[in-house]
Amino acid sequence: QLEVAQPKADAWDELASAEGDYAVSDAAKMLARAGVETGAQRLFNQLSEMRWIFRRGGKWAAYQDAVDNGYLTERPQSHFHPRTGEKVLDAPQIRVTLRGLERLRVRLGSLAVA
């Protein structure tokens, strides 16, 4: 069993040693490849249940604790209004850090076993 699991563990270690953050949908795909049963919408719901994110004006926002613990970040977003050409600020995008990915893999992976 260890021989079978070793390549997956090595791949996860390589990913976890990288730097950066990921959109929730991308994080859900990585967690699914690591054996965690989740998808983008399910992961948003799980993050909400874990009190990492909440709804503010219909958009997701990160709790400060999740940011302070290094699990999530928020990336500012904007677009140019098609008629006026003015820059319009959008709600920040929730991003999952590598530390957050590892925490989710351990926490959500244990739920599948239970």
Side-chain angles (χ1 to χ4, degrees):
Q1 287 178 337
L2 285 176
E3 285 182 31
V4 171
Q6 191 60 47
K8 291 179 184 177
D10 291 342
W12 185 263
D13 288 343
E14 184 176 331
L15 172 67
S17 68
E19 297 206 12
D21 53 54
Y22 300 93
V24 173
S25 60
D26 293 331
K29 292 172 191 170
M30 286 186 262
L31 289 167
R33 284 194 303 268
V36 176
E37 288 189 33
T38 194
Q41 192 56 51
R42 185 185 297 178
L43 185 54
F44 273 111
N45 292 336
Q46 290 165 321
L47 292 173
S48 178
E49 290 169 8
M50 293 166 60
R51 297 190 50 81
W52 284 17
I53 62 174
F54 65 98
R55 290 270 190 187
R56 178 175 46 205
K59 303 288 184 182
W60 289 112
Y63 278 106
Q64 190 62 47
D65 282 349
V67 174
D68 291 346
N69 288 325
Y71 300 146
L72 300 177
T73 62
E74 290 187 343
R75 180 177 291 175
Q77 295 194 129
S78 63
H79 70 278
F80 290 96
H81 192 279
R83 277 186 252 141
T84 65
E86 291 182 25
K87 191 173 193 173
V88 178
L89 295 179
D90 298 323
Q93 180 188 38
I94 300 292
R95 309 283 293 183
V96 180
T97 66
L98 291 164
R99 182 176 183 176
L101 264 178
E102 177 59 18
R103 181 73 181 120
L104 289 168
R105 184 183 69 85
V106 170
R107 188 165 176 182
L108 299 178
S110 67
L111 293 178
V113 174

